[in-house]
Amino acid sequence: MPHYYQPEIETASREEILAIQNEKIVKQVKHVYENVKYYRDLMDAKGVKPEDIQSVDDIKKLPFLSKADLREAYPYGLLGTDLKNCVRIHSTSGTTGKRVVAFYTQHDVDIWNDCCARAIVAAGGNSGDVCQVAYGYGLFTGGFGLHGGSEKVGCLTLPMSSGNTERQIQFMMDLGATIICCTPSYAAYIGETLAEQGYKPEDNKLKAGIFGAEPWTEEMRRSIEKSLGIKAYDIYGLTETSGPGVAFECCAQSGMHINEDHFYAEIIDPDTGEVLPEGSKGELVFTSLDKEAFPLLRYRTRDICVLSHEKCACGRTHVKMSKPMGRSDDMMIIRGVNVFPSQIETVLLNEGYTPNYQIIVDRVNNSDTLDVNVELLPEQFSDIVAENQKKERALEIAMRTMLGIGPRVHLVPPHSIVRSEGKAVRVIDKRKLHD
Ligand code: ADP
Ligand code: ZN
């Protein structure tokens, strides 16, 4: 029996959702036009006035915002309210360059917490749960986002933050955590450490994990579910839109419901900016419908995914987004071929290896090289060189089939690749050093 945090909104009819969105967008565009000079200038340059936006159908008339705008307007240029009305600042992780900052009023924090509460309830959470928040606390949005959601649901909240894995495990076991929230790469590390300490998956009380903030594959999901003995749910968000909880997975585990009463989503062609029809793969663009302090309109996420309005088994009616398998800027172009780290992860986990790997891209004699270091489990480790070489060749063939180009694979000893406590760094692109 599915449970909802806010059923009247989460299961609202399409007409009801549209009515909420249409009402909010008119107010929001006015709010932005009056208070954010940076965006007013963009609208003026495009010849769009607030009166031109009467419903969400008109959103396509508005100019886009991108990370470059956020960097240009740093720190206060996109602020939608007086600083004295703000209660919080967060910052992006800086995965792809200079960090940007986002501001929150108490109203913004409350809405964000509601979004995270919906995610926790969708993962089976309720007031009887002990929720271990092992995302980083601080400027990163993960910790505080899930923390606020967990308290709203009434869970007993364990604000562990990330890192100190021994202590995570001690509290998880001693206090009987039933839900854990962290990045999928950190969840995999916790699972690995539990096994090393002699625990079996059934020894912990965990039932669910809420994992996000970085791309992860279905294969990774199954591997974490097995090692922790849980159901693993995806959660998506970005600092620019508040943080995690913009979209979350339900019991169907097939895409994440976007909180459409707060965010309007579009899929565009990343090259032309043209809005694509439903079912097309493209860049996700968000318009915040009711944020006060950092009210971004048509923000280009650079995340590539597909939207679907198909009926969901959980009863929620909000549109679902597919797992973004990496941002447009995670994509590596190697000898002219597009390669995503997630494709390599899929091959490795399917072939029985761990998710501990590192991708090294370089340029030698004007030609791109792709090397993948793959860590072995102790039981996979062999002293016989020929045996290792055979495994390396087999992996190279499997990756060539998946990617269309052949990498060089190097098996490396157990524990030689550094583990992630937050967002994993999978790729080292040395070509950038030569440019
Ligand atoms: P940064 O952009 O510096 O990494 P954020 O911490 O705000 O800063 O990260 C937001 C980004 O993280 C998203 O745009 C997306 O690329 C990625 N992300 C967040 N959640 C997920 C998820 N569930 N699956 C894949 N990628 C995700
Ligand atoms: Zn659902």
Side-chain angles (χ1 to χ4, degrees):
M1 183 59 205
H3 292 282
Y4 311 103
Y5 179 65
Q6 286 159 332
E8 68 292 355
I9 295 165
E10 293 180 80
T11 64
S13 69
R14 189 72 350 228
E15 295 69 37
E16 286 166 330
I17 294 170
L18 270 176
I20 296 172
Q21 292 183 324
N22 288 340
E23 192 190 327
K24 286 188 178 182
I25 190 65
V26 174
K27 280 197 207 140
Q28 184 71 335
V29 172
K30 203 163 162 281
H31 167 60
V32 172
Y33 194 81
E34 282 167 7
N35 296 292
V36 184
K37 179 180 179 306
Y38 189 95
Y39 200 77
R40 176 165 67 242
D41 289 347
L42 291 179
M43 282 177 65
D44 287 346
K46 222 171 173 246
V48 193
K49 293 278 165 245
E51 310 74 79
D52 297 329
I53 313 300
Q54 292 303 324
S55 73
V56 286
D57 275 344
D58 295 326
I59 286 183
K60 54 182 176 298
K61 298 178 188 164
L62 291 167
F64 290 117
L65 279 173
S66 69
K67 198 96 153 190
D69 292 300
L70 268 63
R71 290 187 179 133
E72 199 180 317
Y74 174 91
Y76 301 123
L78 287 158
L79 195 59
T81 186
D82 205 287
L83 264 187
K84 75 173 190 320
N85 300 324
C86 298
V87 298
R88 181 96 69 78
I89 290 178
H90 281 287
S91 158
T92 57
S93 319
T95 316
T96 61
K98 189 177 160 198
R99 291 159 189 266
V100 300
V101 284
F103 301 84
Y104 305 72
T105 61
Q106 187 57 53
H107 172 257
D108 296 334
V109 170
D110 285 344
I111 286 176
W112 178 26
N113 289 345
D114 270 351
C115 289
C116 288
R118 289 181 192 173
I120 293 170
V121 172
N126 60 55
S127 60
D129 280 301
V130 178
C131 181
Q132 178 161 355
V133 182
Y135 283 107
Y137 280 64
L139 285 169
F140 176 54
T141 53
F144 278 96
L146 269 307
H147 181 103
S150 171
E151 287 190 348
K152 281 225 167 180
V153 175
C155 302
L156 175 59
T157 309
L158 258 169
M160 297 298 297
S161 194
S162 60
N164 203 337
T165 308
E166 305 268 314
R167 191 182 60 188
Q168 298 277 357
I169 289 175
Q170 189 201 329
F171 276 103
M172 173 193 290
M173 302 309 278
D174 292 353
L175 303 177
T178 53
I179 297 177
I180 183 158
C181 311
C182 59
T183 60
S185 55
Y186 194 40
Y189 179 30
I190 292 174
E192 180 188 7
T193 313
L194 273 170
E196 281 169 5
Q197 294 187 354
Y199 290 114
K200 291 193 212 56
E202 59 275 20
D203 293 339
N204 69 63
K205 288 219 172 82
L206 291 174
K207 61 178 186 189
I210 303 176
F211 307 127
E214 63 182 1
W216 54 310
T217 56
E218 280 303 323
E219 290 75 15
M220 179 86 155
R221 186 212 297 270
R222 283 194 286 277
S223 157
I224 297 171
E225 289 189 327
K226 212 165 126 207
S227 74
L228 292 176
I230 58 169
K231 258 187 110 169
Y233 298 86
D234 205 352
I235 184 164
Y236 170 90
L238 54 164
T239 315
E240 294 88 327
T241 56
S242 287
V246 170
F248 60 86
E249 241 177 15
C250 60
C251 55
Q253 288 180 306
S254 61
M256 296 176 269
H257 291 284
I258 295 175
N259 283 308
E260 285 190 277
D261 50 330
H262 301 301
F263 303 100
Y264 181 79
E266 298 169 276
I267 292 287
I268 62 161
D269 178 326
D271 297 321
T272 63
E274 182 201 350
V275 179
L276 299 177
E278 190 188 325
S280 317
K281 188 168 165 183
E283 180 179 350
L284 187 57
V285 173
F286 279 117
T287 293
S288 83
L289 294 171
D290 47 17
K291 277 174 64 191
E292 296 175 339
F294 206 59
L296 301 189
L297 305 181
R298 292 199 102 192
Y299 180 67
R300 293 184 60 159
T301 63
R302 295 187 288 182
D303 291 319
I304 304 293
C305 72
V306 180
L307 297 183
S308 160
H309 277 103
E310 248 174 63
K311 198 167 185 291
C312 187
C314 77
R316 286 180 187 76
T317 47
H318 293 206
V319 67
K320 289 205 284 194
M321 61 181 271
S322 64
K323 244 178 191 319
M325 288 324 301
R327 309 183 228 216
S328 46
D329 39 22
D330 282 339
M331 189 181 77
M332 306 174 279
I333 303 181
I334 298 166
R335 281 174 253 141
V337 179
N338 300 346
V339 175
F340 278 101
S342 53
Q343 296 173 298
I344 291 175
E345 184 175 296
T346 296
V347 172
L348 289 179
L349 290 170
N350 278 339
E351 301 285 323
Y353 292 88
T354 67
N356 300 313
Y357 61 96
Q358 197 162 46
I359 300 165
I360 298 143
V361 187
D362 204 348
R363 185 170 295 139
V364 178
N365 298 330
N366 287 324
S367 173
D368 296 331
T369 59
L370 174 64
D371 288 80
V372 186
N373 292 336
V374 179
E375 192 182 295
L376 292 170
L377 287 165
E379 59 269 29
Q380 291 170 322
F381 192 64
S382 158
D383 287 338
I384 306 162
V385 176
E387 243 177 56
N388 286 335
Q389 283 177 342
K390 210 170 125 199
K391 286 184 189 156
E392 287 173 343
R393 294 303 85 76
L395 270 179
E396 284 170 358
I397 292 168
M399 286 189 197
R400 181 188 296 274
T401 311
M402 171 68 105
L403 308 174
I405 56 158
R408 274 196 311 250
V409 170
H410 314 275
L411 297 179
V412 300
H415 280 291
S416 56
I417 291 179
V418 51
R419 302 294 188 263
S420 149
E421 294 172 350
K423 294 192 190 224
V425 179
R426 304 285 194 196
V427 182
I428 301 172
D429 195 338
K430 295 185 173 167
R431 294 177 300 186
K432 290 178 182 154
L433 298 174
H434 313 317
D435 287 344

